Amino acid sequence: MTQRPDDPNHDPENDGTPDRSVHPHDPAPDDKGAEIVDLNAARSGRNADRSPSEPKPTTDDADGPVLEGEVLQVDRPGPARTDWRASLERKATSRQPLIPLWLRSRAEAIETVRWASLHYVHVAGYQVLRAPLYAGRLTVRAPRGLVRLVSGIVRWTFDLEGEPVRLAAVQRSDYEGYLKLSRQRDSRVRLRFWITGTILVTLLILAIVVTDQPSAAQWGALAVALAVLGLVGKPADRPLINRAVMASEVEKLTSDIVVRALSVLGIAGITQALSKNPKDAIRFVAPITRDGPGWRADIDLPYGVTVADVMDKRDRMASALRRPLGCIWPEGDSSIHEGRLILWVGDKDLSKTIVRSPLKQASSHDVFKGIPFGNDPRGRLVTVPLIQHNVLIGSQPGQGKTSSIRELAAGIVLDPTVEAWFHELKGTGDLDPYDKVCHRYVSGIEDEAIAYAAGSLALLRKEVMRRSAALKALPADLCPDKRVTRAIADKRSLGLHPLVCIIDECQNLFAHAEYGDKAGDDAEFIIKLGRALGVVLILATQRPDRDSLPTGISANVSIRFCLRVAGQLENDMILGTSAYKNGIRATVFVPEKDAGTGYLVGATPMPKVVKAAYLNTPETQLIADRAYALRKAAGTLSGYALGETAELTVPSYDLLADILAVVPPSEAKVWNEAIVDRLAELRPDIYGPWAALEGGAKTAQLTTVLKPYGIRTLQVWGTPEGGGKGANRIGITRDDIVTAVTQRDRGKAS
């Protein structure tokens, strides 16, 4: 193309004639073809000839615009320079433990040793019982062994195994080769004859010696001879000893099997990655190893694929691996990244496993060490920490929710320092065996039972307020962290022992038209503040929705256990917001088949599938009997366990306001018995039974009902209201009542 003189990109030295100086080695054009030009070299040549003042070319040629500027390398070739410490820290996240996991836990180590011991005891016992059978087999096979032994010795001594080779040499007319083989055979036979002769003479001498020995030695020698001959005569296809434990038919998990299973899940990211790079699309970050009763594979999924995508296809993966659904347990490790898959394939279906509670044989238990709750799919014990936590359990009906409650309750009642408040609002009596050790107990679905449970939460709220003040008053050396510890709980006089309230089927309480709103507020208050004060709330529901489970409760509970639920909403109500999105899905469990199996969140560093231990009614009754004996010996039975009725312990009135009404400001201190008499005149239907009590029972009644408010009694000087001699008796200070009312009203306002 010829450039015009007025073109700003026109080169005055280039008027359309090819510049041969730029490309001295290019071939000259001819009539037969066009000139071949190196465009890159031509452009670099023009740039070199251009003066600095000339504008840079922007000509729109056939091969596009020419872009000028500094070249920046985004990815430089060669290894990337990284900080050595950061690199080591990344590697440290996957360091293998120095001590095996099963040796870190004393309970798990004992369980492992116990299992191994029982296994080998079984194997030894199995073989010992079959010793006569094995002896008979050896005896029957001994003649065949004798024939095999004699024939083998003869063949070896006379070198009969070389006979076919020598005959072949004769057939080939290789006489020289035959002579060499014959000389070799003669040399071997001479040596072997002396060896065989020596052995036979030795055996003959041993036989003569044994003949002179007692009959026991002779029988022993005969047994040894028969055993040796029997082993020699053993058929190749019939082993002598039977297996005590049949070999598992479970296929060994390999990388090829895992890749095959992932490839058929229908996940677009995996399919595309495998089509582009079949070898490196799925990376195994550690060798596939045995982990408990199963195989474990640590896998990095292709870019963009998350563990949640795989968990959605758990049933298809079970089909691809040819294993029952209860054997396939994929889980993630978000501490590394969202694509790190830990695939565990068990030998045995978890749904067919019954987990036995360790508390069945326990004489006592310490709740400060947590409560053994169940096993994970790998058979490892999972413990739920109770102190400083609250627990929420949810599921569809019939999925093992009440059994989970029973296991937690067993650990609670076996600690005699724990005050148990149990409420079973289904009315089936699932927790009835524990009533003999409870401070408060109710079983029923009627309004009276709902009101009783609501009253318990109201009392617990007041107890939390009392404990807050009591804990604050403790010296710093006794309570440096301002929370209840084992040492503080053992000091019964402080009144800071653990108090655990269980409400099964709590939806019947929180959804109640009359008591639901107030009970929800009280429960939320207890969950938020009672954690460090030794007050624990355990709630269980089969209808997790906004009406039956207030959001303030579901959002603040620290430990959650979700068995089978129907959908995402119920799943996230129990396990927390975004749990379903993150792959923690209790919808994967099969109804009834996976009863007792659920996701446990908050009790372990990572969410974990757990099958809760199962306690039937007789086993629960035995635990309750041991708990009753423990508490009776420790003197910690109280409330319902001692026969106290709900009417005396759960007032449905404003006691503090009534006391202020009968005690004028002019009376700074008043006897308890005087207050009870005045209250009986104010509300005969409520306080009349109190006034009818005799002796110190009247005084003790008021002391008991004021205790949850944090009001203590003291010695008060006074005179009887009808006149008489003055005396010191148990009473209260009016200012304490005023302070309690002020704190209560302030708590309601907040």
Side-chain angles (χ1 to χ4, degrees):
M1 182 178 68
T2 305
Q3 293 180 330
R4 296 173 302 175
D6 57 346
D7 190 340
N9 296 325
H10 172 67
D11 188 347
E13 298 180 4
N14 185 1
D15 56 358
T17 303
D19 186 0
R20 304 303 305 163
S21 63
V22 177
H23 306 287
H25 302 290
D26 287 350
D30 53 23
D31 297 333
K32 296 181 180 180
E35 179 185 8
I36 300 175
V37 179
D38 186 346
L39 295 178
N40 292 330
R43 288 167 182 164
S44 61
R46 287 199 298 268
N47 293 338
D49 296 337
R50 184 180 296 110
S51 62
S53 61
E54 285 185 271
K56 294 182 179 179
T58 58
T59 304
D60 238 346
D61 292 330
D63 43 355
V66 179
L67 303 179
E68 302 292 343
E70 182 182 358
V71 177
L72 297 178
Q73 292 186 357
V74 179
D75 294 326
R76 297 181 181 274
R81 298 178 60 186
T82 58
D83 180 65
W84 64 272
R85 179 172 177 178
S87 177
L88 286 178
E89 288 178 352
R90 285 194 300 270
K91 293 179 180 179
T93 59
S94 57
R95 286 184 299 192
Q96 297 297 320
L98 296 177
I99 301 175
L101 294 178
W102 65 273
L103 279 178
R104 296 184 181 184
S105 169
R106 181 175 180 270
E108 190 170 350
I110 293 175
E111 176 63 21
T112 302
V113 173
R114 185 188 70 82
W115 181 91
S117 302
L118 291 176
H119 171 75
Y120 288 110
V121 166
H122 169 78
V123 172
Y126 181 91
Q127 302 298 356
V128 168
L129 291 176
R130 284 157 181 76
L133 174 63
Y134 302 151
R137 288 179 180 175
L138 290 173
T139 303
V140 171
R141 296 172 181 178
R144 181 189 298 152
L146 179 61
V147 173
R148 285 183 178 179
L149 182 63
V150 171
S151 63
I153 292 175
V154 171
R155 287 180 61 82
W156 179 80
T157 302
F158 296 100
D159 195 22
L160 297 181
E161 65 270 14
E163 186 68 19
V165 179
R166 293 190 291 272
L167 292 177
V170 173
Q171 293 174 359
R172 295 194 307 268
S173 300
D174 184 9
Y175 301 112
E176 183 178 354
Y178 174 77
L179 292 175
K180 291 181 179 179
L181 292 174
S182 297
R183 286 194 293 269
Q184 184 184 52
R185 182 253 184 195
D186 294 341
S187 176
R188 287 180 176 178
V189 168
R190 282 193 295 269
L191 177 62
R192 294 179 181 182
F193 183 83
W194 284 107
I195 294 175
T196 302
T198 303
I199 294 175
L200 291 177
V201 170
T202 303
L203 291 176
L204 180 61
I205 294 173
L206 288 176
I208 295 174
V209 171
V210 170
T211 304
D212 296 335
Q213 298 298 319
S215 58
Q218 295 176 5
W219 284 109
L222 179 61
V224 171
L226 288 175
V228 172
L229 294 176
L231 292 174
V232 174
K234 178 181 71 68
D237 58 341
R238 297 176 62 186
L240 171 66
I241 298 177
N242 298 337
R243 284 184 175 272
V245 179
M246 297 302 296
S248 174
E249 297 181 358
V250 178
E251 185 179 18
K252 178 182 177 181
L253 192 68
T254 64
S255 59
D256 292 337
I257 294 175
V258 174
V259 172
R260 181 191 67 193
L262 292 174
S263 65
V264 301
L265 297 183
I267 300 175
I270 295 179
T271 304
Q272 294 173 4
L274 288 174
S275 63
K276 295 178 180 179
N277 189 0
K279 293 184 178 180
D280 299 328
I282 297 174
R283 190 168 68 93
F284 292 82
V285 298
I288 298 177
T289 58
R290 290 289 294 181
D291 185 7
W295 298 91
R296 168 176 172 152
D298 291 32
I299 306 165
D300 273 349
L301 296 172
Y303 296 108
V305 181
T306 65
V307 175
D309 298 331
V310 175
M311 296 184 70
D312 279 342
K313 311 287 186 178
R314 178 169 163 258
D315 54 345
R316 298 188 65 177
M317 176 173 285
S319 173
L321 293 173
R322 292 295 186 261
R323 302 292 297 130
L325 186 61
C327 294
I328 310 302
W329 298 105
E331 60 185 43
D333 190 352
S334 58
S335 63
I336 299 178
H337 57 76
E338 297 299 330
R340 173 61 58 85
L341 171 67
I342 299 175
L343 176 62
W344 191 81
V345 181
D347 299 337
K348 187 176 181 182
D349 191 342
L350 182 63
S351 64
K352 298 180 181 179
T353 302
I354 298 177
V355 179
R356 300 298 181 184
S357 172
L359 298 174
K360 286 173 53 179
Q361 307 298 329
S363 58
S364 63
H365 186 69
D366 183 2
V367 296
F368 283 85
K369 296 180 179 179
I371 296 178
F373 184 64
N375 289 356
D376 66 3
R378 306 173 198 183
R380 298 176 300 188
L381 180 66
V382 177
T383 300
V384 172
L386 195 66
I387 303 301
Q388 300 180 20
H389 292 279
N390 297 282
V391 182
L392 176 62
I393 301 175
S395 74
Q396 290 179 323
Q399 290 303 120
K401 171 176 51 62
T402 301
S403 297
S404 306
I405 289 287
R406 270 187 173 181
E407 177 66 11
L408 293 176
I412 292 166
V413 300
L414 285 175
D415 188 335
T417 66
V418 179
E419 189 173 314
W421 296 18
F422 292 174
H423 310 80
E424 189 265 298
L425 302 183
K426 186 168 53 175
T428 56
D430 293 322
L431 299 180
D432 280 355
Y434 296 124
D435 63 351
K436 63 179 68 177
V437 295
C438 289
H439 180 79
R440 293 179 62 81
Y441 181 81
V442 69
S443 175
I445 199 172
E446 306 82 10
D447 285 347
E448 292 78 6
I450 303 298
Y452 187 94
S456 293
L457 290 178
L459 290 177
L460 273 181
R461 180 168 186 157
K462 296 170 184 177
E463 176 69 7
V464 167
M465 297 171 63
R466 181 196 70 80
R467 289 181 175 226
S468 178
L471 198 67
K472 182 179 179 181
L474 291 179
D477 59 335
L478 182 62
C479 184
D481 297 328
K482 296 302 177 185
R483 59 183 57 184
V484 173
T485 61
R486 176 83 269 176
I488 295 175
D490 289 338
K491 300 181 185 297
R492 198 74 182 183
S493 59
L494 297 177
L496 294 174
H497 52 278
L499 194 160
V500 183
C501 176
I502 293 178
I503 303 180
D504 191 13
E505 306 296 349
C506 65
Q507 75 276 357
N508 295 331
L509 170 60
F510 296 133
H512 195 277
E514 181 178 354
Y515 306 108
D517 293 341
K518 179 64 166 56
D521 291 340
D522 290 339
E524 183 177 351
F525 179 87
I526 295 164
I527 289 173
K528 288 181 178 179
L529 300 182
R531 183 180 63 86
L533 305 174
V535 178
V536 178
L537 197 58
I538 300 177
L539 303 174
T541 179
Q542 61 176 270
R543 198 179 70 192
D545 54 42
R546 297 183 183 277
D547 295 330
S548 59
L549 188 63
T551 55
I553 295 175
S554 61
N556 289 283
V557 171
S558 55
I559 295 179
R560 307 156 186 270
F561 184 57
C562 186
L563 300 107
R564 161 73 188 184
V565 291
Q568 178 178 353
L569 178 61
E570 296 84 356
N571 186 87
D572 288 357
M573 284 291 292
I574 298 297
L575 295 176
T577 304
S578 300
Y580 191 90
K581 179 181 178 182
N582 295 330
I584 310 171
R585 302 177 179 180
T587 55
V588 301
F589 303 121
V590 180
E592 296 185 4
K593 182 180 179 181
D594 286 330
T597 304
Y599 266 104
L600 181 65
V601 177
T604 56
M606 297 292 294
K608 187 180 292 291
V609 173
V610 175
K611 182 156 191 179
Y614 176 74
L615 289 172
N616 57 31
T617 300
E619 293 169 345
T620 305
Q621 187 63 57
L622 292 175
I623 292 175
D625 292 340
R626 293 200 302 272
Y628 180 82
L630 280 172
R631 291 169 180 267
K632 186 175 181 180
T636 56
L637 291 173
S638 63
Y640 188 93
L642 295 179
E644 294 182 8
T645 60
E647 289 76 14
L648 294 180
T649 56
V650 188
S652 58
Y653 48 84
D654 192 343
L655 176 63
L656 300 183
D658 289 348
I659 293 177
L660 293 179
V662 299
V663 179
S666 58
E667 291 185 271
K669 299 179 181 180
V670 190
W671 289 346
N672 278 12
E673 61 185 62
I675 295 176
V676 171
D677 291 338
R678 297 178 191 180
L679 290 174
E681 292 178 1
L682 178 68
R683 302 181 189 272
D685 55 334
I686 296 176
Y687 302 107
W690 296 11
L693 297 174
E694 297 180 358
K698 183 190 299 185
T699 298
Q701 175 60 38
L702 186 60
T703 300
T704 300
V705 296
L706 287 177
K707 183 179 179 181
Y709 299 92
I711 298 174
R712 297 183 178 182
T713 57
L714 68 161
Q715 291 289 332
V716 174
W717 174 264
T719 57
E721 294 187 348
K725 186 178 180 181
N728 272 323
R729 297 181 183 178
I730 298 298
I732 62 171
T733 302
R734 190 180 190 277
D735 289 342
D736 291 343
I737 305 296
V738 174
T739 302
V741 171
T742 303
Q743 292 179 349
R744 180 188 64 186
D745 295 343
R746 186 182 298 120
K748 290 181 179 180
S750 62

